[in-house]
Every structure is written in structure tokens, then in C-alpha cells.
Amino acid sequence: MSNSPKKKLVTLTIDGFQVTARPGMTVKAAAAKAGITIPTLCFLRGVSAIGSCRVCSVELEGHDGFITACNTPVADGMVIHTDTERVRTYRRNLLRIILADHGLDSTAYCFSCAKNGACQLQALCNAYGATEPAWRVEQERKPILESNPFLAYDPNLCIRCQRCVGACNTQARNHTLHTAKRGMRTTIEAPFGPDWKATTCESCGCCAAACPTGAIVEKRRRTYRSWETRRVRTTCPHCAVGCQYDLVVRNNRIVDVDAAPGQTNDRRLCVKGRSASFDFVDAPDRLRTPLVRNPTTHELEPASWDEALDAVAEGLGRVKREYGPDALAGFACSRSTNEDIYLFEKMVRCAFGTNNVDNCARI
Amino acid sequence: MAMLSVAPKSPDDERLGAFVDDFRRRVDSTPLGVCPLVVTLTALETAAGQTCGKCVPCRDGIPHLVELMRTLVDCDADASVVDEMRELSQLVRDTSDCAIGYHAADQLLAALDAFSAEVESHLERHACTAGIGQTVPCETGCPAHVNVPGYIALVAAGDNAGAVAMVRKDNPFPTACGLVCEHPCEAKCRRRLIDDAINIRGIKKYATDQAPADHVPVPRRSPDTGCRIAVVGGGPAGMTCAYFASLMGHRVTVFERRSKLGGMMRYGIPAYRFPRERLDEDLRAILSVGGIEVKYGAEIGTEEFEALRRDYDAVFVAIGAHTGRTLSIDNIDADGVIPAVQLLGDIGDGAEPDMTGKRVVVIGGGNVAMDCSRTALRAGAREVSIVYRRRQEDMTALQSEVLSAVAEGVEMVTLEAPAAIEVDDAGHCTALLTQPQMTGPIRNGRPSPVALDVPQHRIPADLILVAVGQDIVSGPFNAAGMPTNRNRFVADDALRVPDMPGVYAGGDCQTGPKTVIKAIGAGKVAARNIDEYLGYHHTLPFDIAVPAPHPNDRTPVGRVNIAERPARERRCDFAGVEIGMSAQEARQECARCLRCDVYGIGSAEGGRVQYE
């Protein structure tokens, strides 16, 4: 069957630059090669390219409509203009229409929105001078769904770009979050209402991470402002998969995490990584110094690391001498990194001399 | 002095004509999956825009109905709104002065009844019913859900073999459907909004002309499961089921009553529409999968069916509808009166009837009547008439078939109801006596004929072919416990026969006489469901990529139709009548495809109707 992909590179012109691109590449990706950024809103790489917002529309010479750069593959000889006056006007007006749908004065004004400063719609509207909605819409104030312990959905702020739907389907592969009421009444049905437990939602938060506005958010986002934070790339300690994420840190305290493009997770996280693997760092009941039990009072008392390790080594050594190595066992916490657990296992096998070792990671 | 003017009263009326034509195309291409209440609202708004403003119920009532309807569409209404709508509609219907008013109200009332499930869902669940939501129209309209944009793109890329394989992913009869499909895929083609529907069938025919199905390798059969499936009937439903079931690794035995496979495609559709060698291409490809055994001349009666149930893990009954219905008129059993299906069936087995010099009368107005009449011409008949009790436009045959028959010289004797058959002393028919009719009140969408109070006509006939419908020989299966309704097998939407685990029924024998592609769709559903029933969940590998789309070209371009050989030439032989598209035509036709799989709803979640 002659369906072998043609390897021939294609050449096109974008804003006057000759760009060579692989067949199958999108116009947006080809433009990026030439250092030209085409703005997008509903597009999320690897997650959603349904071309619903039309903000990435560009002019293609010889074509009587606009094409969307996010999902149109390059073709040889294309002549594309990404930033003409007409393109900029259309973009501004599209953004103004989206603003009219965004429920600006319904439940959250920009300043009171959890995504203020991190909202893609806000940034694009600033960049294109879309300062007010295209038309006035009577605000309905639909109820916010926030029974889920981690996630909240404010339908008033939803612009129906369907990035969350793509995230639930292609990232989480959970197929829980849907569109409903089709046609011009299309809405997003996020399973965060009172019956959230009865749904198949795993609270992984891929949808919130995908949302370009403040419609779907991790609730913890309401506790900080993005401009107050810095990011520290690390590995999720919660299981052996090794997902990469950025700790979002404010005043040296971890307030959130943001999935990073790690090899194993490619911008995805599960509910444990996103919501359960860092709060213990600053937990008030966290042990901050070793404790050794006073043999007289039987109370735990703070000790130095040297004192504590000596006490442990002496105790374990005594058991091993008196009862043999198999009287000992090691059991590690699942929130430890692979490296820590590897060393722990080495210690149990080599120093203890037993194979009694396990870990509670059962993800 | 009052001056007269030749100018139209409203200068825009003429321009409006063209605008309305364009609007009509939009209405005609109403996408599948649109909420019916939204369409109802649109119709109501159109009516509100047409009110002349004279009468109270229409002028004031319809706009208020629009408002009420909008709250229902928005899922904001409660039952009292529907009650109010009904009450007001009845008032508008009964008190309006002209049809603009009473038709609008009548239509609304009919819609509220017809779409009652949707109304209830809007009221109670505040959402549309589950099936509402747009999808790619061609793929959804096709009962086998073939990836139409996919194979059109492959043909456009010059990969005809890839296109045939793409069709076969969902339908193992690419040639049959290229030649004789009724192409429901074209009905809602979005291209219609710009100019006209894509000639999808024509493109498929082109692909199979260039890359014959039996030259395109079928996928590799999955590892043998050891499960045995009996398929009763080697027509489109049975052979589709056999193809997919055997690809999944099951062992299939097809029990065919006749001496050859193909069912109605061989024993119903004449060779000039579907040349036998082309049918054999599809069948050879299907059998090349391996694992399919065919038993010819296998008459399955009650006992045999019970044995099949014992000896096989699952049974698919797809026996089609092969007996002819008859008429209760005098001398219907006379010599020279032949059921249409018998004539066409005999030809399928190789008979070459000679009707040289005969006057042939065909009774009926469906596709089979057209097939018989055109066959009679080819068999040398002196004159062929189709006698039908309604008007030509009321015929159930495809209009293109009717026109082809007329072009070849078949006389359409319409508004004549068969009354009796005249016979000679030897008991051979000599004429059909008919009672002239006039067209009357419309029932179920078609005007019903009313007998005229005039003397009967006499149409001389040496041969009378009765094509008034087909029936199903379901008796033997019914005796074994398979439930039937008006001779049709009863099965659920998964084609399971109630209370008979492992027995499935589909195709014409379950739906009544329908189309090849519907039978193919049923065969595929049966194969899938039998696979699940047997405890498997096979997915069939498929690795042909759909070529990337080009940006839509919106320039209106005419639709390339499939030409036929000149009527005076083709009526003399049984060779295929259609002339395929040229490469140039196929290219242009493919380029018109708007690639709804990529642009529009096809790119969004739930926008495709595809099996894995």
C-alpha cells in the first residue's frame, strides 16, 4: 500500500520569512521556528487543537477565509501573514466576543479571580487592546460547583474553549468532563458538584491546569498570587514514576505545584502529585528534629542527629547480634524519592543483612 | 390619470428567490444530531417573520410562542410552559385566517408530539437527550460509519488502494457500495451549503475501479480463537459478519441456500447495475481472510437451525427478504405472471430469459420494478410498461432509477391500479386490466390514490412481472422459537434475539427490505456483539494514516455526476451502465470535501462516530 509518508520538506513564507518545515507540522509550529509567535487561546499542545477560539487565525494568500495556525498543517508554497492590521482587528474582536461570554462582572472580577496575573485571556486581551466586551450580556450568576475538595468550577467564567475536555480525555484519559447542551448553548459539565463522589472524576486537576481562565481552578490557587511566587523544579516524591513538577513557592513555603514536561509525565500529574505530596513539608505536626525516648521517663525528647543515629545503630545492632539479621525489617514511606528508597533498601540488605524490606508505595 | 407600472411591487422579491434557494440548501443540510426543538424554534421564528400583521392569533400569538419555545430550548421551562404553548397553539391553529398562522401552530403541535422525549428531557433533566450532539455528517449517516473524509483524502492523495482499505475497515463491500449504495452519507454533506453534496459514491467507485478490492490485501487474521460461528445467509449482512468475525479469529461457516454468494446483490440487483465480476472482487477479498467456510445449497429449516444452535457458539441469521409479495386480484396465478424476485433470482443463477417480441407489464413503483423493467428490455421485450397506482413522483424507487428506466424506453403508466388479469383459454395472461385512479389525500407523507369512476383500461401483456414488495421466509426459524413481527425477526438494537443467547438476526430479514449498506452495518454490529458475547473484545489493527487536510476551498464548483452509457446502446446488453469518473474528475470532486473530520465538530470530543 503506497501510504508511506512523504519525507520531502516543505517551504513556506511567513511574514516575509522563508521557513522550511516538516510535512505535518502546523503553521504555528513552523512560525515558531522562524521566531514568530502566533497567539493561541483554546490550543494546548498535545491536549487540544480543536480550533474553537479562532484567535490564532492568520491570513493565507489565495485563500478566501482565514486559517487557524494551531491545527492547519503546512503546505508547500503557502504565503502567510500573521500580524496584519486585519488579523489584529479580527483577533481583538474575537477576544472581545470571548470577553462578553466570560462573565466579567458575574462572580469574579479580574482582581478577585484566582487566576489574576496567570490568566491567558487577560494576557491576550491586554496584548490586543481588547479592553471591553463586544456586547453587554445580562449576567446570570450560575452557581459555582465546589463540593470537590480540591477543584472548583465557576461556569460564569467559562469561555467554552474545551481545553478541559481535551485534558480529561487525552491527558487524564478519564473521559469524565464533557460538553453538554450542544449548539449555541454548549456548556461544560464539570463533575465538582454535590455528587462529585459519585462520578469517575479522580480530582487529578489536569482540567484546572488546562483552563486558560479562572473557570476551573485548584482551590489552593485562591491562597496566593502568581506574581508573589517563584518556581523550583523537582521530582514528585510520591511514587516511583518520577513525574517532574515545579514547586510554586511563596516566602519559602510551598503553596502549589505545576506539572512540568518531564519524560514520564509530559505535563500531567495525578491527584497525589498535584494535591498530596508537598503540604507535609510545612505541616505544623511535622517532626523537625530527631526524638529519642528517655529510658527513665519514657518520654520522647529532642536529640541531635548524632545522638539519635547512635541510639538507632546500637539498638538495631543489639537485635541483630542477639536474634540474627532476619529479626530486623525495613519499611519505607511512599513519599520518599526513588534514590532515598534505593539507599534504604541497600542499608537493609547490606548493613542489616536481611531481605525483609518493603515500601508502602502502591499507586 | 393613474399610471401602471411593470416593476414588481417589492423590488427585492426576485432577489429573495435566490436567497431562499440558498436558505433551502441550509435547511436541507440540517446537521444530524441537532436538537429537534432548536429546529422547531427556527421554524417558528420563520413563521413569525412571515405574519402579515392582520390577525391577532398569528401576529401576536406566534411571537409569544417563539418566546416560550426559547425557554424550552434553553432548558429553563417547566411543564406549565409546554401546557401554555399547546393551549396557545391550538388557539392560533383554530382561529387563524390563513395558512401562515394555522400551519405554524399545527407544525408546532406536531413537533411537540413527535419530539416528546426531547421535550421531557429539557423539562426534567435540563439537557438534551443523550443522542443529541453533532458529528461528521457523512460518517454518521452511513449505517456502517465508514471514515468517508479519510478515504476521500486518500483518493485525493492518489492512494486508491489505501482508500479501499479505509472503506473496508468498516465495510468489506467497497465495490458494491461504490456501485449500488444509496449513499445516505451524501444526504447531509456540509458541502451542500456551498454548492452541492460531494459525490461520495462516485469517488468510492473510482477508487475500486482503480484499485480492485481483490487486489488490495485484507488485514491479517487475529490468532484463532477456536470459537465457531454459523452465519445463515451469504448476502451483505451475512458476509460482512463473516468477514469481521473471521478477522477477529473466529471460525465462520456460512450457510447459503443458493449456489453463489452475494444475496440480493446477485439475486436481486441486475448485472447492468452491478456487474457480477465486480461483486466477485469484494467476495474474493472477504474470503481471502481465511477461516470462512461456505456451504452452498444449504437450506436451513427448523431442525437444521436447532442443530446450528447446538453445534456452534453463536448464530447470525441474515436470510434476507427473498420471496415476492403478491396481489389479490383475479388470475394472479395465471401463466406468464411471474414474481419479480423470481425473475431476478433466476438470472442471478445464470438464467438468460428470452422475452423477444413480448409485451411486458411490470406492476409496482419501487427499485425492483425498475430493475425488472430494464431487465425485460435487455431480454428483448418489444414493449415494457410499468403500471403504478400513484404518480411517478410518488414512486419509492430512486428518482435516478426511474429516469434511467424512462430513458431506456420503459413506459410509465401511472395512476392505474391493477384490477384483474385477463387470460386466454390456455390460462396464459393476455392483458392487465386496470382501474384509473386520481391522486388523493396525503397519508403518511404520500398522496393515496382514489379510484376514478370510469371504466377499466386494458393493457395487453404477454408477461406480467409483479414487483410489489418482498417478504421473509421466517417461518422455520419462528417454529424454532425465534419471535417474528409481520414475518420480520425481532431483535434488539444489539441485534440479539430475545431469550436466545448467542442468536443474532440482522439485515433485510430483521428490518424488512432495505438497502445493502444497512445490511452491511447490521453485519458489522452482529460480528462485534458476537465477539463480546463470546467473551472477547477484539480490536482490529489498522495503520493507514489519513492525509493532512488542505485549507477549505470555498469556491463554488459543480458536482461531478456519474455518467451512464447512452440509453439506446445500454438497453441492448447486460453490461454495466455507469461510466466511472476520470482521474481529473475524481481529483476535482475530492478537492471539494470540506474535511469535517478536521474542521468543525469532527475535531472535538464526541465529533466522530467510529469504532476502534
Side-chain angles (χ1 to χ4, degrees), chain B residues 576-593:
Chain B
V577 297
E578 286 188 343
I579 302 167
M581 282 187 198
S582 66
Q584 207 179 345
E585 288 170 306
R587 236 185 344 267
Q588 174 176 305
E589 198 57 17
C590 290
R592 290 171 65 233
C593 176

Side-chain angles (χ1 to χ4, degrees), chain A residues 141-313:
Chain A
R141 290 175 196 268
K142 294 174 210 142
I144 298 172
L145 304 180
E146 49 185 349
S147 303
N148 181 297
F150 307 111
L151 294 157
Y153 172 52
D154 182 345
N156 305 290
L157 300 182
C158 176
I159 57 172
R160 304 183 279 180
C161 70
Q162 304 194 27
R163 266 165 54 159
C164 53
V165 178
C168 196
N169 288 323
T170 56
Q171 281 194 303
R173 309 252 163 151
N174 213 10
H175 306 278
T176 304
L177 204 151
H178 294 292
T179 50
K181 293 191 189 171
R182 306 304 178 102
M184 55 186 163
R185 293 159 187 86
T186 298
T187 57
I188 298 296
E189 218 159 59
F192 310 147
D195 60 345
W196 68 275
K197 274 188 184 168
T199 71
T200 53
C201 172
E202 294 174 356
S203 309
C204 67
C206 286
C207 52
C211 182
T213 72
I216 299 183
V217 289
E218 292 279 350
K219 288 176 170 178
R220 63 169 67 245
R221 241 200 175 283
R222 296 166 175 164
T223 63
Y224 67 92
R225 296 300 199 179
S226 56
W227 59 82
E228 304 167 333
T229 61
R230 64 192 173 88
R231 278 149 193 273
V232 181
R233 176 73 45 94
T234 189
T235 306
C236 176
H238 212 127
C239 75
V241 170
C243 298
Q244 296 293 293
Y245 60 39
D246 291 332
L247 296 172
V248 181
V249 180
R250 182 183 61 184
N251 298 334
N252 278 333
R253 301 224 157 185
I254 304 169
V255 291
D256 204 350
V257 295
D258 209 357
Q263 287 212 338
T264 54
N265 63 316
D266 191 21
R267 295 186 170 85
R268 286 175 290 185
L269 285 176
C270 72
V271 59
K272 294 191 181 182
R274 183 111 51 196
S275 294
S277 295
F278 52 89
D279 283 335
F280 59 81
V281 174
D282 289 311
D285 54 347
R286 177 179 174 181
L287 297 184
R288 292 177 182 277
T289 170
L291 299 175
V292 173
R293 201 172 295 280
N294 183 319
T296 323
T297 64
H298 298 290
E299 290 297 321
L300 285 168
E301 289 174 359
S304 74
W305 278 105
D306 279 347
E307 289 165 346
L309 289 172
D310 282 351
V312 171

Side-chain angles (χ1 to χ4, degrees), chain B residues 588-607:
Chain B
Q588 174 176 305
E589 198 57 17
C590 290
R592 290 171 65 233
C593 176
L594 298 176
R595 288 302 297 272
C596 299
D597 58 330
V598 180
Y599 301 115
I601 192 67
S603 60
E605 167 72 2

Side-chain angles (χ1 to χ4, degrees), chain B residues 257-276:
Chain B
R257 185 169 63 91
R258 301 268 197 167
S259 59
K260 286 184 178 136
L261 291 173
M264 273 298 176
M265 292 184 293
R266 185 184 303 275
Y267 295 104
I269 300 173
Y272 62 85
R273 285 215 291 133
F274 190 6
R276 300 302 178 231

Side-chain angles (χ1 to χ4, degrees), chain B residues 336 357-362 382-387 411 413 420-423 428-434 457-465:
Chain B
K358 288 190 172 151
R359 291 166 301 183
V360 178
V361 168
V362 179
R382 171 150 59 106
E383 54 186 52
V384 180
S385 307
I386 284 183
V387 173
E411 190 70 46
V413 183
I421 290 167
E422 185 190 276
V423 292
H428 196 282
C429 70
T430 51
L432 178 70
L433 301 177
T434 62
H457 287 166
R458 179 179 182 278
I459 305 170
D462 305 316
L463 204 57
I464 296 175
L465 301 171

Side-chain angles (χ1 to χ4, degrees), chain A residues 1-3 6 49-51 60 63-68 71-73 75 78 162 165 169 175 178-179 181-182 184-185, chain B residues 38 41 70 73-75 126-127 132-133 154 159 161-162 165 216-217 544-545 548-549 551-552 554-555 599 603-605:
Chain A
M1 223 153 291
S2 59
N3 198 37
K6 293 190 191 107
I50 63 171
L60 169 63
H63 180 67
D64 45 4
F66 276 48
I67 59 164
T68 41
N71 62 0
T72 303
M78 277 181 161
Q162 304 194 27
V165 178
N169 288 323
H175 306 278
H178 294 292
T179 50
K181 293 191 189 171
R182 306 304 178 102
M184 55 186 163
R185 293 159 187 86
Chain B
V38 172
L41 171 61
R70 190 169 287 130
V73 164
D74 286 345
C75 300
H126 305 290
I132 298 300
L154 284 163
D159 186 0
V216 179
I544 294 177
N552 281 177
R554 306 174 180 187
T555 318
Y599 301 115
S603 60
E605 167 72 2

